[in-house]
Structures are given as C-alpha cells and as structure tokens.
C-alpha cells in the first residue's frame, strides 16, 4: 500500500546513520525488526532492537535466528521513556515509523539523547504531512478512502489505516518537528523529505 517505498527509505536512512561495524546501535520501535535488519545490512556492528510489544519482538527474534544474525543483534522489551541503558551507550540510535505513536515525543527524544554518545547520531524516519495543499489532499484521500477500501476487500483491519491517515495529518511539519528535536538537546538537525514530503528522514547529531 505504500508502493514498497519503505524498503528504499530504510536503506537510505541506514546509509545516513553512518553505522559502522565497530559501532553500537539502538533501534527503537523495532517492531518485527525491519529497520534493525536494514542497519545490519549496511554494516555488521552490534545492534539492540527495542520495542514495547513482546509479540513483535518474538517475530523479530525468529527472523534474526533464520538470518543467522543473533550474534550481532539482540532484542529487548522497553519502556521508551525509561530506557534500561546507561548514559552514552550507543553511537547510533534510530526509530522508524514509531515517534508518531509515543506518548511524549519530546521526552522520548531527551531519553534517546541521554543514551547516545557525544558525537553520536539519531535517525528518525516518519510519515509526514506534505506542505503542498494539493499533495496533502491526495495523500489523505488515498489513506482515508482508497486504502481502507482495499483493506476491506482483503479483510484487513480498516481502522488501522484510518488511524494512520489521521496521525499523519496531525504530525508536525518537518520544520516544526526539527525544532522539537533541538529542544530535546540535539545540536545539529537536518531533514530529507522524500516522496513529495510524505516521508521524512530526520538526522540529529549530539
Ligand atoms: C509501525 S511499527 C515500526 C516498525 C519498524 N521500526 C519499521 O521501520 O517498520 C511501530 C512500532 O512501534 C512500537 N511502539 C509504539 N509505541 C511504543 C512505545 N511507547 N515504546 C516502544 N515501542 C513502541 C510498536 O509496538 C510497533 O512495533
């Protein structure tokens, strides 16, 4: 339903993370591990995938076992606002399609800053509302009307897609969101809008 753009986006985000084999990364809201495995393809460093859903994590763990990556990748259950890691533990932190759903994004980004080493990098990938009114209308029409119709035909959960459209429309524009990232203590913030601004990769350095 997203025309396979997610895979390309995660690959680009992993490349922008500067992850290297000697480095340690934390992938938050890992879900079933898609972004974690993209990072690992980029460089075979040490990665912890973290999520609040044990069901998602057990799928991620099975995938890792099948891929033979469990020497390098581990998965852990977390409360995203109270990460169970000491200060300055990671060179790279990432969150793909997760920051939209956390209860207090500012607090989460402060907590991520705490566990990131000085000079480390934080990559956020998120679905964002396009600034162009016509593009925004078309995107929201697609997710509010066409995708739920397709979901109905496929007997999938239509509410999930309606929620997705609403949460995109409520997410701050990239410039506003970059200010919140800085407020959380990140020194330099850049962003890369993709696919007519429907997805944005935010890059923050500590
Ligand atoms: C859409 S999935 C993202 C999966 C993956 N990162 C990707 O790139 O596709 C969102 C994930 O965020 C997790 N999540 C949502 N709120 C969270 C929170 N407060 N703490 C930790 N994980 C959370 C959910 O359990 C879910 O697995």
């Amino acid at each position: 339903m997203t025309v396979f753009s997610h895979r390309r986006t995660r690959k680009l985000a992993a490349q922008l993370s500067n992850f290297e084999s000697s480095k340690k990364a934390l992938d938050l809201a890992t879900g079933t591990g898609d972004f974690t495995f993209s990072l690992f393809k980029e460089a075979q460093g040490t990665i912890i995938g973290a999520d609040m859903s044990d069901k998602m994590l057990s799928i991620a763990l099975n995938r890792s076992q099948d891929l033979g990556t469990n020497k390098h990748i581990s998965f852990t259950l977390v409360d995203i606002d109270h990460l169970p890691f000491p200060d300055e533990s990671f060179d790279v932190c990432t969150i793909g399609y997760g920051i939209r759903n956390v209860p207090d994004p500012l607090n989460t980004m402060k907590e991520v800053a705490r566990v990131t080493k000085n000079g480390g990098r934080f990559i956020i990938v998120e679905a964002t509302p396009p600034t162009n009114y016509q593009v925004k209308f078309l995107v929201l029409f697609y997710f509010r009307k066409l995708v739920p119709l397709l979901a109905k035909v496929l007997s999938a959960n239509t509410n999930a897609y309606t929620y997705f459209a609403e949460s995109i429309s409520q997410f701050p524009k990239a410039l506003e969101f970059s200010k919140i990232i800085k407020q959380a203590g990140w020194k330099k913030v850049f962003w890369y809008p993709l696919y007519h601004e429907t997805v944005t990769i935010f890059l923050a350095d500590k």
Side-chain angles (χ1 to χ4, degrees):
M1 291 176 184
T2 52
V3 207
F4 302 109
S5 60
H6 283 339
R7 268 181 238 159
R8 287 197 299 272
T9 308
R10 286 192 200 93
K11 185 169 186 224
L12 177 61
Q15 286 165 345
L16 287 170
S17 73
N18 277 352
F19 188 49
E20 291 168 6
S21 53
S22 58
K23 291 186 176 175
K24 208 173 156 191
L26 173 67
D27 179 34
L28 290 158
T30 185
T32 57
D34 287 328
F35 200 1
T36 305
F37 297 120
S38 295
L39 267 179
F40 189 73
K41 269 192 199 156
E42 206 43 46
Q44 312 204 333
T46 307
I47 311 175
I48 298 179
D51 203 282
M52 67 172 188
S53 161
D54 53 355
K55 283 188 185 151
M56 297 291 242
L57 289 174
S58 78
I59 297 172
L61 190 61
N62 286 340
R63 288 177 73 191
S64 183
Q65 274 157 0
D66 291 346
L67 291 166
T69 54
N70 34 0
K71 267 195 194 156
H72 301 270
I73 301 176
S74 55
F75 292 98
T76 187
L77 201 61
V78 292
D79 170 355
I80 207 157
D81 288 332
H82 302 94
L83 295 172
F85 309 109
D87 295 357
E88 301 191 18
S89 298
F90 299 96
D91 303 282
V92 171
C93 289
T94 57
I95 184 166
Y97 307 103
I99 199 77
R100 199 162 27 96
N101 296 317
V102 302
D104 182 352
L106 174 64
N107 197 50
T108 300
M109 291 188 289
K110 282 183 184 168
E111 181 64 351
V112 179
R114 181 186 69 74
V115 301
T116 305
K117 292 179 186 172
N118 286 330
R121 181 162 285 184
F122 182 28
I123 296 281
I124 302 169
V125 181
E126 196 47 88
T128 42
T131 45
N132 179 298
Y133 179 77
Q134 279 135 333
V135 178
K136 185 173 175 182
F137 175 81
L138 286 175
V139 168
L140 292 180
F141 179 78
Y142 176 69
F143 280 108
R144 277 179 182 148
K145 305 285 178 201
L146 297 185
V147 173
L149 198 66
L150 189 55
K152 215 173 195 172
V153 172
L154 297 172
S155 309
N157 177 2
T158 53
N159 289 342
Y161 297 103
T162 315
Y163 165 75
F164 183 64
E166 295 322 314
S167 70
I168 295 176
S169 73
Q170 282 160 25
F171 195 80
K173 296 204 171 80
L175 178 62
E176 288 165 41
F177 192 64
S178 72
K179 289 180 187 163
I180 303 174
I181 302 175
K182 278 199 174 159
Q183 215 184 321
W186 294 87
K187 279 188 196 142
K188 290 185 201 158
V189 181
F190 304 92
W191 67 92
Y192 300 86
L194 304 170
Y195 320 116
H196 300 285
E197 301 176 288
T198 51
V199 173
T200 304
I201 300 175
F202 296 91
L203 185 159
D205 285 336
K206 186 174 161 189

